[in-house]
Amino acid sequence: MKNGQLAPGLSDDDLLVDGDDAPAPALLSADPRLARLTEAAKAYARAARSENTARAYDSDWRQFASWLRRNGFDELPPSPDTVGLYLAANAEAGVSVATLERRLSGICWRYRQLGQPLDVRDRHIATVLAGIRRKHARPPTQKAAIFADELLAMLSVLDMDLRGLRDRAILALGFAGALRRSEIVGLDCGPGQTEDGGGWIEIMEGGALLQIYGKTGWREVEIGRGSRPDTCPVALLETWMRLGRISHGPLFRPIARKNGGVSSERLTDKHVARLVQRCAMQAGIRGDLTEGERKRAFGGHSLRAGLASSAQIEEAHVQKHLGHASAEMTRRYQRKRDRFKVNLTKAAGL
């Protein structure tokens, strides 16, 4: 590609500019080996982003492209001046700084796929974004943590049918492993069983060992067995796998409402968020809030924050369990901790 023009014989389909894949080289022959390599390259490109990120980036680009058309701007070549105007328009419309930064990432991703990278360090973008951050930035909103006693109350509201057993395993495993909702539903029964899996489990005598690919790469999570089978995450998981006849492929799957059969597909991460919200409300957690406030307060991260806040062990162990690159990030998840334990004011002699 030169000066934004496609090379002879190439089309948009060759470049896969719909955002689902990274650019792939055009085949110069009908060599089956090259065709297989091309498909493999496309599959690896798809795996570069999680499904959630891919959906978000695609949505970001559609919104940006629509704004460009409405205001008479061209998509190509990328214009830092125009992007600055777009950021300002979003900020004036009340879009949060975090969402705005994510939209900018999606726009940059698309331009890279088009072979015309957008320089976010350009002063027209960097200065506008810095001003928006200074004027509109707020501390990040956090989901309320669910603590151990609250988790037990949530487990008690679930039925003892197959769906209820699955959801019990999801809640208990998500809490004990401090897992993100995408990490919960991304688990397989073993390694290399699906293309879209984000990790797998290995059940042992002492507990479950999880290999998980998260935001910071691969990490190993140990989940020990509990003292009671009705609350032990490993026992609940074993029950779900046995009764649901789950031995290969996705660990958590949808259940048909008509015949109660277990699907072969993977459960979506949205189910985890809805499950946490529903069970928290049914269990009466944070009854001092309105129904709308309670629904907004709880989500998939409530399980992760709950374990981080409840575990009475050294912070370094919690950090490793959550897969955080820094202790500061771990502290953001700890809703209840000993603040001011380290008092630098007194240590300085004041």
Side-chain angles (χ1 to χ4, degrees):
M1 179 184 293
K2 295 182 179 180
N3 300 322
Q5 300 297 318
L6 296 178
L10 288 180
S11 67
D12 282 354
D13 290 335
D14 294 315
L15 285 176
L16 298 169
V17 295
D18 61 356
D20 290 336
D21 297 299
L27 293 180
L28 301 180
S29 69
D31 188 333
R33 184 178 63 86
L34 292 180
R36 287 194 299 271
L37 288 176
T38 298
E39 293 304 315
K42 291 179 182 179
Y44 286 129
R46 283 191 293 268
R49 297 177 297 167
S50 70
E51 291 185 8
N52 287 341
T53 301
R55 284 193 296 266
Y57 281 5
D58 290 343
S59 175
D60 295 335
W61 176 259
R62 287 194 299 269
Q63 291 178 349
F64 178 60
S66 176
W67 183 86
L68 291 175
R69 289 192 296 270
R70 291 196 309 271
N71 289 277
F73 296 114
D74 294 326
E75 294 180 3
L76 293 172
S79 168
D81 290 0
T82 303
V83 173
L85 293 177
Y86 176 72
L87 296 176
N90 276 260
E92 291 298 304
V95 177
S96 70
V97 174
T99 299
L100 201 54
E101 290 173 339
R102 206 280 321 287
R103 288 183 180 178
L104 182 58
S105 296
I107 294 169
C108 289
W109 171 271
R110 174 54 70 96
Y111 275 127
R112 285 198 299 272
Q113 308 316 299
L114 293 172
Q116 299 193 30
L118 175 68
D119 184 7
V120 295
R121 295 170 298 180
D122 183 279
R123 64 184 181 87
H124 295 287
I125 297 177
T127 305
V128 171
L129 190 57
I132 292 173
R133 288 182 179 131
R134 183 178 180 84
K135 186 175 181 180
H136 297 291
R138 298 289 184 274
T141 57
Q142 297 179 321
K143 292 297 182 182
I146 290 173
F147 299 96
D149 57 334
E150 296 171 332
L151 179 69
L152 296 180
M154 292 169 60
L155 294 177
S156 68
V157 304
L158 291 168
D159 296 330
M160 293 301 293
D161 57 4
L162 190 58
R163 181 175 287 103
L165 293 171
R166 177 202 64 190
D167 290 344
R168 284 168 181 262
I170 288 175
L171 291 177
L173 193 73
F175 179 88
L179 306 179
R180 301 176 178 89
R181 62 185 191 180
S182 60
E183 293 173 346
I184 297 173
V185 300
L187 288 170
D188 288 340
C189 297
Q193 294 183 350
T194 66
E195 292 186 359
D196 62 339
W200 67 87
I201 64 164
E202 182 181 357
I203 298 180
M204 306 175 177
E205 183 178 351
L209 186 63
L210 280 57
Q211 302 290 345
I212 295 177
Y213 187 78
K215 291 185 176 180
T216 57
W218 284 99
R219 76 181 191 275
E220 187 176 87
V221 177
E222 296 181 7
I223 299 180
R225 293 186 181 273
S227 56
R228 294 165 45 191
D230 58 334
T231 61
C232 169
V234 182
L236 292 172
L237 180 60
E238 289 174 320
T239 300
W240 155 246
M241 294 179 68
R242 183 177 69 256
L243 297 182
R245 298 180 179 179
I246 310 294
S247 60
H248 189 276
L251 183 61
F252 294 114
R253 312 175 183 190
I255 299 175
R257 294 191 177 277
K258 289 186 178 180
N259 57 18
V262 178
S263 170
S264 61
E265 302 298 320
R266 188 181 305 279
L267 204 63
T268 68
D269 64 336
K270 291 182 179 179
H271 174 81
V272 178
R274 290 193 292 261
L275 174 65
V276 172
Q277 291 173 348
R278 174 169 57 85
C279 292
M281 296 181 72
Q282 290 180 0
I285 300 174
R286 291 303 306 275
D288 57 310
L289 302 178
T290 66
E291 183 174 336
E293 289 173 336
R294 291 169 68 198
K295 189 172 183 180
R296 290 189 295 271
F298 296 103
H301 256 56
S302 295
L303 300 174
R304 188 166 165 83
L307 189 281
S309 303
S310 302
Q312 301 297 315
I313 58 175
E314 292 183 14
E315 188 178 80
H317 294 297
V318 180
Q319 179 181 338
K320 180 178 182 296
H321 198 72
L322 271 67
H324 286 155
S326 67
E328 178 61 30
M329 178 59 70
T330 301
R331 294 187 190 111
R332 295 183 188 180
Y333 283 76
Q334 294 172 322
R335 306 295 190 262
K336 291 194 305 186
R337 60 186 176 90
D338 295 332
R339 296 184 182 276
F340 311 113
K341 185 176 182 179
V342 176
N343 191 326
L344 294 181
T345 305
K346 288 184 178 181
L350 300 180

